[in-house]
Amino acid sequence: MTDSIRISSQQQSRLEIVFDHLEASEDARQRLAQPKQTITVNIPVRMDDGSLKVVQGWRVQYDDTRGPSKGGIRFHEDVTAKEVTALSFWMTIKCAVVDLPFGGAKGGVCVDPKTLSRLELEQLSRGYMRAVYDVVGPDRDIPAPDVNTNATVMGWMADEFTQIERRQVPAVITGKPLGLGGSQGREAATGQGALQVLNIWAQRAGKSPEDLTVAVQGFGNAGYHFARLAHEAGYKVVAVSDSKGAIYSNDGLDPEPIWRHKHKTRELKGMVYCDTSVCEEADFDQLTNDELLELDVDVLVLAALENAITQENAEGVRSALILEIANGPISPEADLILSDCNIEILPDVLVNSGGVIVSYLEWVQNRSGDYWAEEAVEHRLAERLDREAKSCFQLADDEGVSMRIAAYMQGIGRIAQAMDHRGTQDFFNSASS
Ligand code: NAD
C-alpha cells in the first residue's frame, strides 16, 4: 500500500528559509517538499501463545537524487507515518551535509518491543524485511538501527533478505553484528562524531574541555558513548538521564561504571531491552528528567527522542550550548525561544552524523570485501566530519546564520545542485529556443 504524507509545516517553513538563502531552482524546492515514496506495511506475527498479531509499519524513502536512500528502522509503540516521514527528511539532509553518496529514508514499526519475547521479536524483524523487500537493497535503500533496534535485529533482517535472494547481500543493511559483516567502530560512532563537533565548537570558542560542564539527556547507545568519550576527553559530565529519571553529581560522573551498573541490574525481556533506570541503587543525587533539562551547565546534550524541548519548557533551559544527538529534539517554536535567549544550538543533522558515516563505511567494506581495523574506521570518520563540520561553521560565519541553517544550506545546496544537473526549467527553455 502506498500513500504520501508530507513533512510538517514547521519543516516546510525551515526549508523555505534555507531555499531563500540558496541559489537553487524552483524544481528542487518542489521536489524536496514531499517524500519520493511511502510504503505502509502490515506485518503478521505469530505470538508465543499461538495468536496472530498484525503490526503496522512504514518505510519512507524521502529522496534518492544523490544515491540509494539510507536510514534507520525504529520500533516504538507511538511511531506514526508522519514521524517516520519527518525522520526520513532529516536523514536526506544529514547524508548530504556530510557529503555521503546517499539519499534519505526511515522505517518505523508501531510496537512496544519490550512486550515481545525473543522469538516474537525475530519474527517481527524478519516479517518487516519480507514486507519491504521489493524496495530495499544495496543500490536502492539501505536500512540501519534506530531507537529500540540494534545489531541483532539488523542481523535477522539481513539474513531474511539473503534467504529471499539466495545469495549473500551484506550491504543491504548496516549496523550488523561484526561477525555478520558489521563494521568496527559503528557502536560508538554517533557519540564519537558528536564529541568531535563539540570539540571543534570548543576550540573556536577558546575553551578547553576541563572548563565545560555537561548534562546528557538520554543515556542510551548514542548518549552513553558520547558521555564516556567526553569524560575521557576531560569534560565534566555532571548528569545523565534515561526514561525513568536522572542522576547528578557536582563533582562529575564516570559514565562507564554507571552504564555497567545499569546493564547488570537490568530486567531483560527479549535480549535487547533494558527496563531499569540509571537511578536505581546508584549513589548520586537524583533528579527528575525535567530538572536535568534546567541544570545550569555549559552544554546540554539531547540524546533521547524528538521534541524534548518545546515551547512549554524552553524558557527553563539555562545551558549556554545545546548539542543535538537525538533527531529533532527541539521543536521549531522552542528553537526561536532558545535563540532569543542566546543559547547556541549545534544541530542534529551534523552532530549525530557519525552513525551514518560509519554505516556508509560498513556499506563500502561489504561491497569491496576489504574490512578495516577500528583505527582505520575512526580515522575515516574523523577526517570526513572534520572537513564537513568546519565547513558548516564557516558557512554560518560567512552568511551570518545559525548553525542549523548553515548545515541545512550545506546539505540542501548539494541535493539541489544534483537535481539541477538533471535539468531545470531554465535549462529546458533555453535548449528549445
Ligand atoms: P536508545 O534507545 O539506545 O537510547 C535512548 C535513551 O533515551 C534511552 O536510555 C531511554 O531510556 C532514554 N529516554 C527516553 N525518553 C527519555 C526522557 N524523556 N528523558 C530522558 N531519557 C529518555 O537510542 P539511541 O540509539 O541512543 O538513539 C537516541 C537518539 O539518537 C534517537 O533520537 C536516535 O534517532 C538518535 N540517533 C542515534 C544514532 C545511533 O547511532 N544510535 C544515530 C543518529 C541518531
Side-chain angles (χ1 to χ4, degrees), residues 115-230:
T115 63
L116 301 180
S117 71
R118 288 181 186 188
L119 260 178
E120 292 163 348
L121 191 62
E122 186 199 5
Q123 289 307 306
L124 176 63
S125 306
R126 289 182 180 278
Y128 181 82
M129 179 48 90
R130 280 196 300 279
V132 299
Y133 168 77
D134 291 327
V135 296
V136 301
D139 297 310
R140 284 182 163 182
D141 179 13
I142 308 129
D146 190 64
V147 173
N148 285 341
T149 56
N150 63 3
T152 307
V153 172
M154 296 306 111
W156 286 325
M157 289 186 179
D159 183 54
E160 193 63 28
F161 191 89
T162 292
Q163 290 194 30
I164 298 169
E165 291 259 310
R166 294 187 177 274
R167 66 188 179 102
Q168 291 294 334
V169 195
V172 65
I173 219 158
T174 60
K176 299 178 294 293
L178 272 181
L180 294 176
S183 177
Q184 298 282 353
R186 174 62 184 87
E187 210 180 304
T190 302
Q192 188 191 331
L195 178 64
Q196 192 177 340
V197 177
L198 177 61
N199 284 339
I200 296 172
W201 173 87
Q203 207 172 26
R204 289 171 57 94
K207 295 178 191 293
S208 67
E210 290 73 21
D211 301 333
L212 297 168
T213 52
V214 179
V216 181
Q217 184 210 33
F219 199 56
N221 180 56
Y224 161 64
H225 285 291
F226 168 81
R228 175 179 63 79
L229 293 166

Side-chain angles (χ1 to χ4, degrees), residues 13 49 83 124 149 155 189 195 212 222 226 254 258 345 355 376 400 408:
S13 46
D49 66 2
E83 180 186 1
L124 176 63
T149 56
L195 178 64
L212 297 168
F226 168 81
D254 182 353
I258 296 170
I345 300 168
Y408 273 55

